[in-house]
Amino acid sequence: MNRFRTLCVAGSPSRGSHTRALVAHIGGLLERRGSETVLADLAELGLPPSHPDHYWSPEPHPVARAREFIEAVRASDALVLGTPVYHSGYSGLLKSAVDLLPRDAFEGKAVALVSHASGPRGSAAACEQLRQVVKALGGWAVPMQVSTVTADFADVVDLTDSTGGGRRTLDEAGPVHARCAELADQLAVFTRAMRGADGRTDSRVDGCADGRMDDPADGTRAGVAA
């Protein structure tokens, strides 16, 4: 099987979020389809805010965490962008992370879009907005998108745990799981087709060979493989 690398970005500022659980669930489905997945949880990475001086500068970003995130995006073959829905839009944390990227960061990559809202109103709007962002960065958003609400998830396990041990999981018996599987199918198919078109081979993400992103501040890992 022709393997590929997917960077799954969870754009919620909350640790143990529904968005993280959704993105991790899709990452697990992608692994069954031949992907090596890396989860970049923005709540844990501590990326610096974007700034116009860095956006227009041809020099590498001065902050190591930002450089590692940019390189992880560049080295991936596909992406999953996940966001909570705030006022019918995607999160400011995800916006700031995307603004760290060069304008061709998604070029030649297929991108899957998912969102979570506390209620159904406006839950799909964030994905529609992100389609424009993906296009602006040279990527191609797959047709299927997934939007979840709280009822789509299984029991919560002590999210007040100071160690971050709380965990939410998507209910695989629910109707959203099938949509997630179709989303994973589309991303895998289109990624392999796009890689075949430009002759790319398997890519690796420096510092992420075990499915995590390095946290350079203390040597720990931020993000857990789906």
Side-chain angles (χ1 to χ4, degrees):
M1 180 183 292
N2 187 8
R3 295 184 64 79
F4 59 97
R5 175 62 63 90
T6 305
L7 181 66
C8 301
V9 182
S12 173
S14 301
R15 293 177 181 267
S17 65
H18 291 96
T19 302
R20 177 188 171 115
L22 173 59
V23 168
H25 183 76
I26 293 170
L29 293 173
L30 286 166
E31 288 186 342
R32 300 176 201 172
R33 290 154 175 80
S35 174
E36 298 177 45
T37 63
V38 176
L39 176 59
D41 188 342
L42 299 185
E44 299 179 0
L45 290 185
L47 296 176
S50 59
H51 192 281
D53 288 348
H54 304 144
Y55 181 78
W56 295 111
S57 174
E59 300 300 321
H61 198 285
V63 179
R65 291 180 181 181
R67 291 197 302 272
E68 291 188 352
F69 178 69
I70 293 168
E71 287 306 311
V73 171
R74 283 197 176 279
S76 66
D77 300 305
L79 294 105
V80 178
L81 299 182
T83 182
V85 179
Y86 299 142
H87 299 307
S88 294
Y90 60 98
S91 73
L93 186 62
L94 181 57
K95 172 61 174 171
S96 185
V98 168
D99 284 348
L100 292 171
L101 301 173
R103 65 185 66 187
D104 62 347
F106 293 174
E107 185 173 353
K109 304 180 193 296
V111 182
L113 304 173
V114 300
S115 65
H116 174 78
S118 57
R121 180 176 296 176
S123 60
C127 290
E128 294 302 326
Q129 294 164 13
L130 284 170
R131 287 185 182 277
Q132 298 302 314
V133 176
V134 170
K135 182 178 179 180
L137 293 176
W140 189 82
V142 302
M144 174 64 74
Q145 62 191 39
V146 174
S147 298
T148 59
V149 295
T150 303
D152 295 318
F153 291 83
D155 293 339
V156 176
V157 179
D158 191 16
L159 292 179
T160 63
D161 184 351
S162 61
T163 66
R167 181 176 178 82
R168 288 182 166 111
T169 57
L170 190 75
D171 183 4
E172 294 195 14
V176 175
H177 174 69
R179 289 183 62 84
C180 290
E182 184 174 350
L183 178 77
D185 285 339
Q186 288 187 4
L187 191 66
V189 168
F190 286 116
T191 296
R192 290 192 172 100
M194 294 170 77
R195 292 179 71 211
D198 64 14
R200 275 182 287 170
T201 57
D202 288 347
S203 62
R204 312 296 296 182
V205 179
D206 291 340
C208 303
D210 61 353
R212 310 182 187 197
M213 287 187 66
D214 286 317
D215 182 341
D218 58 8
T220 61
R221 303 289 186 168
V224 180

